[in-house]
Coordinates of all heavy atoms in Angstrom, one line a residue:
M1 N 0.8 -1.2 0.0 CA 0.0 0.0 0.0 C 0.9 1.3 0.0 O 0.5 2.3 -0.6 CB -0.9 0.0 1.2 CG -1.9 1.1 1.2 SD -3.3 0.9 2.2 CE -2.8 1.5 3.7
A2 N 2.0 1.2 0.7 CA 2.9 2.4 0.7 C 3.5 2.6 -0.7 O 3.7 3.8 -1.1 CB 4.0 2.1 1.7
V3 N 3.7 1.6 -1.4 CA 4.3 1.8 -2.8 C 3.2 2.5 -3.7 O 3.5 3.4 -4.4 CB 4.7 0.4 -3.4 CG1 5.1 0.6 -4.8 CG2 5.9 -0.1 -2.6
R4 N 2.0 2.0 -3.5 CA 0.9 2.7 -4.3 C 0.8 4.1 -3.9 O 0.5 5.0 -4.7 CB -0.4 1.9 -4.1 CG -0.6 0.7 -4.8 CD -2.0 0.2 -4.7 NE -2.2 -1.0 -5.3 CZ -2.5 -1.1 -6.7 NH1 -2.6 0.0 -7.4 NH2 -2.7 -2.3 -7.2
A5 N 0.8 4.4 -2.6 CA 0.7 5.8 -2.2 C 1.8 6.7 -2.7 O 1.6 7.8 -3.2 CB 0.7 5.8 -0.6
L6 N 3.0 6.2 -2.6 CA 4.2 7.0 -3.1 C 4.1 7.2 -4.6 O 4.4 8.2 -5.1 CB 5.5 6.3 -2.7 CG 5.9 6.5 -1.2 CD1 7.1 5.7 -0.9 CD2 6.0 7.9 -0.8
S7 N 3.8 6.1 -5.3 CA 3.7 6.2 -6.8 C 2.6 7.2 -7.2 O 2.7 8.0 -8.1 CB 3.5 4.9 -7.5 OG 2.3 4.3 -7.1
G8 N 1.5 7.2 -6.4 CA 0.4 8.1 -6.6 C 0.8 9.6 -6.4 O 0.4 10.4 -7.1
V9 N 1.5 9.8 -5.3 CA 2.0 11.1 -5.0 C 2.9 11.7 -6.1 O 2.8 12.8 -6.6 CB 2.8 11.2 -3.6 CG1 3.5 12.4 -3.4 CG2 1.7 11.0 -2.5
F10 N 3.9 10.8 -6.5 CA 4.8 11.3 -7.5 C 4.1 11.5 -8.9 O 4.4 12.6 -9.5 CB 6.0 10.3 -7.8 CG 7.0 10.3 -6.6 CD1 7.3 9.2 -6.0 CD2 7.6 11.5 -6.2 CE1 8.3 9.2 -4.9 CE2 8.5 11.6 -5.2 CZ 8.8 10.4 -4.6
S11 N 3.3 10.6 -9.3 CA 2.6 10.9 -10.6 C 1.7 12.0 -10.5 O 1.5 12.8 -11.4 CB 1.8 9.6 -11.0 OG 0.8 9.3 -10.1
G12 N 1.0 12.2 -9.3 CA 0.1 13.4 -9.1 C 0.8 14.6 -9.1 O 0.4 15.7 -9.7
D13 N 2.0 14.7 -8.5 CA 2.8 15.9 -8.5 C 3.2 16.3 -9.9 O 3.2 17.4 -10.3 CB 4.0 15.7 -7.6 CG 3.7 15.9 -6.2 OD1 2.6 16.4 -5.8 OD2 4.5 15.4 -5.3
F14 N 3.7 15.3 -10.7 CA 4.1 15.6 -12.1 C 2.9 16.1 -12.9 O 3.0 17.1 -13.7 CB 4.6 14.3 -12.8 CG 6.1 14.0 -12.3 CD1 6.3 12.8 -11.9 CD2 7.0 15.0 -12.4 CE1 7.6 12.5 -11.5 CE2 8.3 14.7 -11.9 CZ 8.6 13.4 -11.5
I15 N 1.7 15.5 -12.7 CA 0.5 16.0 -13.4 C 0.2 17.4 -12.9 O -0.1 18.3 -13.7 CB -0.7 15.0 -13.1 CG1 -0.4 13.7 -13.8 CG2 -2.0 15.7 -13.6 CD1 -1.4 12.7 -13.5
G16 N 0.3 17.7 -11.6 CA 0.0 19.0 -11.1 C 1.0 20.0 -11.6 O 0.6 21.2 -11.9
I17 N 2.3 19.7 -11.7 CA 3.2 20.7 -12.3 C 2.9 20.9 -13.7 O 3.0 22.1 -14.2 CB 4.6 20.1 -12.1 CG1 5.0 20.2 -10.6 CG2 5.6 20.9 -12.9 CD1 6.3 19.4 -10.3
F18 N 2.6 19.9 -14.5 CA 2.2 20.1 -15.9 C 1.0 21.0 -16.0 O 0.9 21.9 -16.9 CB 2.0 18.7 -16.5 CG 1.5 18.8 -17.9 CD1 2.4 19.1 -18.9 CD2 0.2 18.5 -18.3 CE1 2.0 19.1 -20.3 CE2 -0.2 18.6 -19.6 CZ 0.7 18.9 -20.6
V19 N 0.0 20.7 -15.2 CA -1.3 21.5 -15.3 C -1.0 23.0 -14.9 O -1.5 23.9 -15.6 CB -2.3 20.9 -14.4 CG1 -3.5 21.9 -14.1 CG2 -2.9 19.6 -14.9
T20 N -0.1 23.2 -13.9 CA 0.2 24.6 -13.6 C 0.9 25.3 -14.7 O 0.6 26.5 -15.0 CB 1.1 24.6 -12.3 OG1 0.4 23.9 -11.2 CG2 1.4 26.0 -11.8
V21 N 1.9 24.6 -15.3 CA 2.6 25.3 -16.4 C 1.7 25.6 -17.6 O 1.7 26.7 -18.2 CB 3.8 24.4 -16.9 CG1 4.4 24.9 -18.1 CG2 4.9 24.4 -15.8
V22 N 0.9 24.6 -18.0 CA -0.1 24.8 -19.1 C -1.0 25.9 -18.8 O -1.3 26.7 -19.7 CB -0.8 23.5 -19.4 CG1 -1.9 23.7 -20.3 CG2 0.2 22.5 -20.0
T23 N -1.5 26.0 -17.5 CA -2.5 27.0 -17.1 C -1.8 28.4 -17.2 O -2.4 29.3 -17.7 CB -3.0 26.7 -15.7 OG1 -3.6 25.4 -15.7 CG2 -4.0 27.8 -15.3
A24 N -0.5 28.5 -16.7 CA 0.1 29.8 -16.7 C 0.3 30.2 -18.2 O 0.1 31.4 -18.5 CB 1.5 29.7 -16.0
V25 N 0.8 29.4 -19.1 CA 1.0 29.7 -20.5 C -0.3 30.1 -21.1 O -0.4 31.1 -21.9 CB 1.7 28.6 -21.2 CG1 1.8 28.8 -22.7 CG2 3.1 28.4 -20.7
A26 N -1.3 29.3 -20.9 CA -2.7 29.6 -21.5 C -3.2 31.0 -21.0 O -3.8 31.7 -21.8 CB -3.6 28.5 -21.2
T27 N -3.0 31.3 -19.7 CA -3.5 32.5 -19.1 C -2.8 33.7 -19.8 O -3.4 34.7 -20.2 CB -3.3 32.6 -17.7 OG1 -4.0 31.4 -17.1 CG2 -3.8 33.8 -17.1
V28 N -1.5 33.6 -20.0 CA -0.7 34.7 -20.6 C -1.1 34.9 -22.0 O -1.3 36.0 -22.5 CB 0.8 34.4 -20.4 CG1 1.6 35.5 -21.2 CG2 1.2 34.5 -19.0
A29 N -1.3 33.8 -22.7 CA -1.6 33.8 -24.2 C -3.0 34.4 -24.4 O -3.3 35.3 -25.2 CB -1.6 32.5 -24.8
M30 N -4.0 34.0 -23.5 CA -5.4 34.5 -23.6 C -5.4 36.0 -23.3 O -6.1 36.8 -23.9 CB -6.3 33.7 -22.7 CG -6.6 32.4 -23.2 SD -7.6 31.3 -22.0 CE -8.7 32.5 -21.3
S31 N -4.6 36.4 -22.3 CA -4.6 37.8 -21.9 C -4.0 38.6 -23.1 O -4.5 39.7 -23.4 CB -3.7 38.0 -20.7 OG -3.6 39.4 -20.3
F32 N -3.0 38.1 -23.8 CA -2.4 38.8 -24.9 C -3.4 38.9 -26.1 O -3.5 40.0 -26.6 CB -1.1 38.2 -25.3 CG -0.4 38.8 -26.4 CD1 0.2 40.1 -26.2 CD2 -0.4 38.3 -27.7 CE1 0.9 40.7 -27.3 CE2 0.2 38.9 -28.7 CZ 0.9 40.2 -28.6
F33 N -4.0 37.8 -26.4 CA -4.8 37.8 -27.6 C -6.2 38.5 -27.4 O -6.8 39.1 -28.3 CB -5.1 36.4 -28.1 CG -3.9 35.8 -28.7 CD1 -3.3 34.7 -28.2 CD2 -3.2 36.4 -29.8 CE1 -2.1 34.1 -28.8 CE2 -2.1 35.9 -30.4 CZ -1.6 34.7 -29.9
M34 N -6.7 38.5 -26.1 CA -8.0 39.1 -25.8 C -7.8 40.6 -25.4 O -8.7 41.4 -25.4 CB -8.7 38.4 -24.7 CG -9.2 37.0 -25.2 SD -9.9 36.0 -23.9 CE -11.2 37.0 -23.4
G35 N -6.6 40.9 -25.0 CA -6.3 42.3 -24.6 C -7.0 42.7 -23.3 O -7.3 43.9 -23.1
S36 N -7.1 41.7 -22.4 CA -7.8 42.0 -21.1 C -7.1 41.4 -20.0 O -6.2 40.6 -20.2 CB -9.2 41.5 -21.2 OG -9.3 40.1 -21.3
D37 N -7.5 41.7 -18.8 CA -6.9 41.1 -17.6 C -7.5 39.8 -17.3 O -8.7 39.6 -17.4 CB -7.1 42.0 -16.4 CG -6.5 43.4 -16.5 OD1 -5.7 43.6 -17.4 OD2 -6.8 44.3 -15.7
I38 N -6.6 38.8 -17.1 CA -7.1 37.5 -16.7 C -6.4 37.1 -15.4 O -5.2 37.3 -15.3 CB -6.8 36.5 -17.9 CG1 -7.6 36.9 -19.1 CG2 -7.2 35.1 -17.5 CD1 -7.5 36.0 -20.3
R39 N -7.1 36.5 -14.5 CA -6.6 36.1 -13.2 C -7.1 34.7 -12.9 O -8.3 34.4 -12.9 CB -7.1 37.1 -12.2 CG -6.5 36.8 -10.9 CD -7.0 38.0 -9.9 NE -6.5 37.7 -8.6 CZ -7.2 37.3 -7.6 NH1 -8.4 37.1 -7.7 NH2 -6.6 37.1 -6.4
I40 N -6.2 33.9 -12.5 CA -6.5 32.6 -11.9 C -6.1 32.7 -10.4 O -4.9 32.8 -10.1 CB -5.8 31.4 -12.6 CG1 -6.3 31.3 -14.0 CG2 -6.1 30.1 -11.8 CD1 -5.7 30.3 -14.8
P41 N -7.0 32.7 -9.5 CA -6.7 33.0 -8.1 C -5.6 32.0 -7.5 O -5.7 30.8 -7.8 CB -8.0 32.7 -7.3 CG -9.0 32.9 -8.4 CD -8.5 32.5 -9.6
C42 N -4.7 32.6 -6.8 CA -3.6 31.9 -6.2 C -2.6 31.2 -7.2 O -1.8 30.4 -6.8 CB -4.1 30.8 -5.2 SG -5.0 31.5 -3.9
V43 N -2.7 31.5 -8.5 CA -1.8 30.9 -9.4 C -1.1 32.0 -10.2 O 0.1 32.1 -10.2 CB -2.5 29.9 -10.4 CG1 -1.5 29.3 -11.4 CG2 -3.1 28.8 -9.6
I44 N -1.8 32.8 -11.0 CA -1.2 33.8 -11.9 C -2.2 34.9 -12.3 O -3.4 34.6 -12.3 CB -0.6 33.1 -13.2 CG1 0.3 34.0 -14.0 CG2 -1.7 32.6 -14.0 CD1 1.0 33.4 -15.1
E45 N -1.7 36.1 -12.5 CA -2.4 37.2 -13.0 C -1.7 37.7 -14.2 O -0.5 37.8 -14.2 CB -2.6 38.3 -11.9 CG -3.3 37.9 -10.7 CD -3.3 39.0 -9.7 OE1 -3.2 40.2 -10.1 OE2 -3.4 38.6 -8.5
S46 N -2.4 38.0 -15.3 CA -1.8 38.6 -16.4 C -2.7 39.8 -17.0 O -3.9 39.7 -16.9 CB -1.5 37.6 -17.5 OG -2.7 37.0 -18.0
S47 N -2.0 40.8 -17.6 CA -2.7 41.9 -18.2 C -1.9 42.5 -19.3 O -0.7 42.2 -19.4 CB -3.0 43.0 -17.1 OG -1.7 43.5 -16.6
V48 N -2.6 43.1 -20.2 CA -2.0 43.8 -21.3 C -2.3 45.3 -21.3 O -3.5 45.7 -21.0 CB -2.5 43.2 -22.6 CG1 -2.0 44.0 -23.8 CG2 -2.2 41.8 -22.7
E49 N -1.3 46.1 -21.4 CA -1.4 47.6 -21.5 C -0.7 48.1 -22.7 O 0.2 47.5 -23.2 CB -0.9 48.2 -20.2 CG -1.6 47.8 -18.9 CD -0.9 48.5 -17.7 OE1 -0.1 49.4 -17.9 OE2 -1.3 48.1 -16.6
E50 N -1.2 49.1 -23.2 CA -0.6 49.8 -24.4 C 0.2 51.0 -24.0 O -0.3 51.9 -23.3 CB -1.7 50.2 -25.3 CG -1.2 50.4 -26.8 CD -2.3 50.5 -27.7 OE1 -3.2 49.6 -27.7 OE2 -2.3 51.4 -28.5
V51 N 1.5 50.9 -24.3 CA 2.4 51.9 -24.0 C 3.1 52.4 -25.3 O 3.8 51.6 -25.9 CB 3.5 51.5 -22.9 CG1 4.4 52.6 -22.6 CG2 2.8 51.0 -21.6
G52 N 3.0 53.6 -25.6 CA 3.6 54.1 -26.8 C 3.1 53.4 -28.1 O 3.8 53.3 -29.1
G53 N 1.8 53.0 -28.0 CA 1.2 52.4 -29.3 C 1.5 50.9 -29.4 O 1.1 50.3 -30.3
L54 N 2.3 50.4 -28.5 CA 2.7 48.9 -28.5 C 2.1 48.2 -27.3 O 2.2 48.8 -26.2 CB 4.2 48.7 -28.6 CG 4.9 49.4 -29.8 CD1 6.4 49.2 -29.7 CD2 4.4 48.6 -31.1
P55 N 1.7 47.0 -27.5 CA 1.2 46.3 -26.3 C 2.3 45.8 -25.5 O 3.3 45.3 -26.0 CB 0.3 45.1 -27.0 CG 1.0 44.9 -28.3 CD 1.5 46.3 -28.7
E56 N 2.1 45.9 -24.2 CA 3.0 45.3 -23.2 C 2.3 44.3 -22.3 O 1.2 44.6 -21.8 CB 3.6 46.4 -22.3 CG 4.6 47.3 -23.1 CD 5.4 48.2 -22.1 OE1 5.3 48.0 -20.9 OE2 6.1 49.0 -22.6
L57 N 2.9 43.2 -22.2 CA 2.3 42.1 -21.4 C 2.9 42.0 -20.0 O 4.1 41.9 -19.9 CB 2.5 40.8 -22.2 CG 1.9 39.5 -21.5 CD1 0.4 39.6 -21.5 CD2 2.3 38.3 -22.3
Y58 N 2.0 42.0 -19.0 CA 2.5 41.9 -17.6 C 1.9 40.7 -17.0 O 0.7 40.4 -17.2 CB 2.0 43.2 -16.8 CG 2.6 44.4 -17.3 CD1 1.8 45.3 -18.1 CD2 3.9 44.8 -17.0 CE1 2.3 46.5 -18.5 CE2 4.4 46.0 -17.4 CZ 3.6 46.9 -18.2 OH 4.1 48.1 -18.6
F59 N 2.7 39.9 -16.3 CA 2.1 38.8 -15.6 C 2.8 38.7 -14.2 O 4.0 39.0 -14.1 CB 2.3 37.5 -16.4 CG 3.6 37.1 -16.7 CD1 4.3 36.1 -15.8 CD2 4.3 37.5 -17.8 CE1 5.6 35.7 -16.1 CE2 5.6 37.1 -18.1 CZ 6.2 36.2 -17.2
T60 N 2.0 38.2 -13.3 CA 2.5 38.1 -11.9 C 2.2 36.7 -11.4 O 1.0 36.4 -11.1 CB 1.8 39.2 -11.0 OG1 2.0 40.4 -11.6 CG2 2.4 39.1 -9.6
P61 N 3.2 35.8 -11.4 CA 2.9 34.5 -10.8 C 2.9 34.5 -9.3 O 3.5 35.3 -8.6 CB 4.1 33.7 -11.3 CG 5.2 34.7 -11.5 CD 4.6 36.0 -11.9
N62 N 2.1 33.7 -8.7 CA 2.0 33.5 -7.3 C 2.8 32.3 -6.9 O 2.2 31.2 -6.9 CB 0.5 33.4 -6.9 CG 0.4 33.4 -5.4 OD1 1.3 33.2 -4.6 ND2 -0.8 33.6 -4.9
F63 N 4.0 32.5 -6.5 CA 4.9 31.3 -6.3 C 4.5 30.6 -5.0 O 4.9 29.4 -4.9 CB 6.4 31.8 -6.2 CG 6.9 32.2 -7.5 CD1 7.3 33.5 -7.7 CD2 7.0 31.4 -8.6 CE1 7.8 34.0 -8.9 CE2 7.5 31.8 -9.8 CZ 7.9 33.1 -10.0
S64 N 3.8 31.1 -4.1 CA 3.3 30.4 -2.9 C 2.1 29.6 -3.2 O 1.8 28.6 -2.6 CB 3.1 31.3 -1.8 OG 2.1 32.3 -2.1
G65 N 1.3 30.0 -4.2 CA 0.1 29.2 -4.6 C 0.3 28.1 -5.6 O -0.4 27.2 -5.7
M66 N 1.3 28.3 -6.5 CA 1.6 27.3 -7.5 C 1.8 25.9 -7.0 O 1.3 24.9 -7.5 CB 2.7 27.7 -8.4 CG 2.2 28.8 -9.4 SD 3.6 29.2 -10.5 CE 2.8 30.4 -11.6
P67 N 2.7 25.8 -5.9 CA 2.9 24.4 -5.4 C 1.6 23.8 -4.8 O 1.5 22.6 -4.7 CB 4.0 24.6 -4.3 CG 4.7 25.9 -4.6 CD 3.6 26.7 -5.3
G68 N 0.7 24.6 -4.4 CA -0.5 24.1 -3.9 C -1.3 23.3 -4.9 O -2.0 22.3 -4.6
V69 N -1.2 23.7 -6.2 CA -1.8 22.9 -7.3 C -1.2 21.5 -7.3 O -1.8 20.5 -7.5 CB -1.7 23.7 -8.6 CG1 -2.2 22.8 -9.7 CG2 -2.5 25.0 -8.5
A70 N 0.2 21.5 -7.3 CA 0.9 20.2 -7.4 C 0.6 19.3 -6.2 O 0.4 18.1 -6.3 CB 2.4 20.4 -7.5
V71 N 0.5 19.9 -5.0 CA 0.2 19.1 -3.8 C -1.3 18.6 -3.9 O -1.5 17.4 -3.5 CB 0.4 20.0 -2.6 CG1 -0.2 19.3 -1.3 CG2 1.8 20.3 -2.3
F72 N -2.2 19.4 -4.4 CA -3.6 19.0 -4.5 C -3.6 17.8 -5.5 O -4.3 16.7 -5.1 CB -4.4 20.1 -5.0 CG -5.8 19.6 -5.4 CD1 -6.8 19.4 -4.4 CD2 -6.2 19.4 -6.7 CE1 -8.0 18.9 -4.8 CE2 -7.4 19.0 -7.1 CZ -8.4 18.7 -6.1
F73 N -3.0 17.8 -6.6 CA -3.0 16.7 -7.6 C -2.3 15.5 -7.0 O -2.7 14.4 -7.2 CB -2.5 17.1 -8.9 CG -3.4 17.8 -9.8 CD1 -3.5 19.2 -9.9 CD2 -4.3 17.1 -10.6 CE1 -4.4 19.8 -10.7 CE2 -5.2 17.7 -11.4 CZ -5.3 19.1 -11.5
G74 N -1.2 15.7 -6.2 CA -0.5 14.6 -5.6 C -1.4 13.9 -4.6 O -1.4 12.6 -4.6
L75 N -2.0 14.6 -3.8 CA -2.9 14.0 -2.8 C -4.1 13.3 -3.4 O -4.5 12.2 -3.0 CB -3.4 15.0 -1.8 CG -2.3 15.6 -0.8 CD1 -2.9 16.7 0.0 CD2 -1.8 14.5 0.0
A76 N -4.6 13.9 -4.5 CA -5.8 13.3 -5.1 C -5.4 12.0 -5.8 O -6.1 11.0 -5.8 CB -6.4 14.3 -6.2
A77 N -4.2 12.0 -6.5 CA -3.7 10.8 -7.1 C -3.3 9.7 -6.1 O -3.6 8.5 -6.4 CB -2.5 11.1 -8.0
M78 N -2.8 10.1 -4.9 CA -2.5 9.1 -3.9 C -3.8 8.5 -3.4 O -3.8 7.2 -3.3 CB -1.8 9.8 -2.7 CG -1.4 8.9 -1.6 SD -0.7 9.7 -0.2 CE -2.1 10.6 0.5
V79 N -4.8 9.3 -3.1 CA -6.0 8.7 -2.6 C -6.6 7.8 -3.7 O -7.2 6.7 -3.3 CB -7.0 9.8 -2.2 CG1 -8.4 9.3 -2.0 CG2 -6.5 10.6 -1.0
Y80 N -6.6 8.2 -4.9 CA -7.2 7.3 -6.0 C -6.4 6.0 -6.1 O -7.0 5.0 -6.3 CB -7.1 8.1 -7.3 CG -7.5 7.3 -8.5 CD1 -8.9 7.1 -8.7 CD2 -6.6 6.8 -9.4 CE1 -9.4 6.3 -9.8 CE2 -7.1 6.0 -10.5 CZ -8.4 5.8 -10.7 OH -8.8 5.0 -11.7
S81 N -5.1 6.1 -6.1 CA -4.3 4.9 -6.3 C -4.5 3.9 -5.1 O -4.6 2.7 -5.3 CB -2.8 5.2 -6.5 OG -2.3 5.8 -5.4
I82 N -4.6 4.5 -3.9 CA -4.8 3.6 -2.7 C -6.2 3.0 -2.8 O -6.4 1.8 -2.6 CB -4.7 4.4 -1.4 CG1 -3.2 4.7 -1.2 CG2 -5.2 3.6 -0.2 CD1 -2.9 5.6 0.0
A83 N -7.2 3.8 -3.2 CA -8.6 3.3 -3.3 C -8.7 2.2 -4.4 O -9.4 1.2 -4.2 CB -9.5 4.4 -3.7
M84 N -8.0 2.3 -5.5 CA -8.0 1.3 -6.5 C -7.2 0.1 -6.1 O -7.6 -1.0 -6.5 CB -7.3 1.8 -7.8 CG -8.1 2.9 -8.5 SD -9.8 2.6 -8.7 CE -9.7 1.4 -10.0
G85 N -6.2 0.2 -5.2 CA -5.5 -1.0 -4.7 C -6.3 -1.8 -3.6 O -6.1 -2.9 -3.4
L86 N -7.2 -1.1 -3.0 CA -8.0 -1.8 -2.0 C -9.2 -2.6 -2.5 O -9.8 -3.3 -1.8 CB -8.6 -0.8 -0.9 CG -7.5 -0.1 -0.1 CD1 -8.2 1.0 0.8 CD2 -6.7 -1.0 0.7
R87 N -9.3 -2.6 -3.8 CA -10.4 -3.4 -4.4 C -10.1 -4.8 -4.5 O -11.0 -5.6 -4.8 CB -10.7 -2.9 -5.9 CG -11.4 -1.6 -5.9 CD -11.6 -1.3 -7.4 NE -12.7 -0.3 -7.5 CZ -13.2 0.1 -8.7 NH1 -12.7 -0.4 -9.8 NH2 -14.1 0.9 -8.7
G88 N -8.9 -5.2 -4.2 CA -8.6 -6.6 -4.2 C -8.0 -7.0 -5.6 O -7.8 -8.3 -5.8
Q89 N -7.7 -6.1 -6.4 CA -7.1 -6.4 -7.7 C -5.7 -6.8 -7.5 O -5.0 -6.1 -6.8 CB -7.2 -5.3 -8.7 CG -8.7 -4.9 -9.0 CD -8.7 -3.7 -9.9 OE1 -7.7 -3.0 -10.0 NE2 -9.9 -3.4 -10.4
K90 N -5.2 -7.8 -8.2 CA -3.8 -8.2 -8.1 C -3.0 -7.4 -9.1 O -3.5 -7.3 -10.3 CB -3.6 -9.7 -8.2 CG -4.2 -10.5 -7.1 CD -4.0 -11.9 -7.3 CE -4.6 -12.7 -6.1 NZ -4.4 -14.1 -6.3
S91 N -1.9 -6.9 -8.8 CA -1.1 -6.2 -9.7 C 0.4 -6.5 -9.5 O 0.8 -6.9 -8.4 CB -1.3 -4.7 -9.6 OG -1.0 -4.2 -8.4
G92 N 1.2 -6.2 -10.5 CA 2.6 -6.4 -10.4 C 3.0 -7.9 -10.2 O 2.6 -8.7 -10.9
I93 N 3.8 -8.2 -9.1 CA 4.4 -9.5 -8.9 C 3.3 -10.4 -8.5 O 3.3 -11.7 -8.8 CB 5.5 -9.4 -7.8 CG1 6.6 -8.6 -8.4 CG2 5.9 -10.8 -7.4 CD1 7.7 -8.4 -7.4
S94 N 2.3 -10.0 -7.8 CA 1.2 -10.8 -7.2 C 0.2 -11.3 -8.3 O -0.7 -12.0 -7.9 CB 0.5 -10.1 -6.1 OG -0.1 -9.0 -6.6
Q95 N 0.4 -11.1 -9.6 CA -0.5 -11.5 -10.6 C -0.3 -13.0 -10.9 O 0.6 -13.6 -11.0 CB -0.3 -10.8 -11.9 CG -1.0 -9.4 -11.8 CD -1.0 -8.7 -13.1 OE1 -0.2 -9.0 -14.1 NE2 -1.8 -7.6 -13.3

């Protein structure tokens, strides 16, 4: 059960990091193309302002909130992998 929990945490953390990066890039791109302020609470804020006739893109990442996304996905994947292991299914060497 500990192996399932640890593998769930690691895979969930990688998924959480990937989701955070994709969300940050998508937020900045949407802000640039739409020309408006976009905010994802506790993750990133981005805005576009026009200075001298040219658009300037500003973004402010929340470095204390971003790891929270990875931790959330890690815990969710850990709970899921443990729940799937308690069903009595044999996996790995015990097959």
Side-chain angles (χ1 to χ4, degrees):
M1 187 160 86
V3 173
R4 282 190 182 272
L6 286 176
S7 66
V9 167
F10 285 127
S11 63
D13 283 341
F14 286 126
I15 292 170
I17 291 168
F18 176 75
V19 166
T20 303
V21 169
V22 168
T23 302
V25 170
T27 302
V28 170
M30 286 174 39
S31 178
F32 180 73
F33 288 121
M34 293 174 59
S36 64
D37 298 346
I38 297 180
R39 179 176 184 255
I40 298 179
C42 299
V43 179
I44 192 167
E45 298 177 23
S46 63
S47 62
V48 175
E49 294 181 12
E50 198 166 309
V51 178
L54 297 173
E56 287 191 8
L57 182 63
Y58 298 100
F59 63 94
T60 307
N62 185 346
F63 292 115
S64 61
M66 285 183 177
V69 175
V71 169
F72 171 77
F73 275 94
L75 290 176
M78 179 185 70
V79 169
Y80 176 76
S81 63
I82 289 174
M84 295 308 292
L86 294 178
R87 284 185 160 182
Q89 297 174 346
K90 294 182 179 180
S91 63
I93 294 175
S94 60
Q95 281 186 346

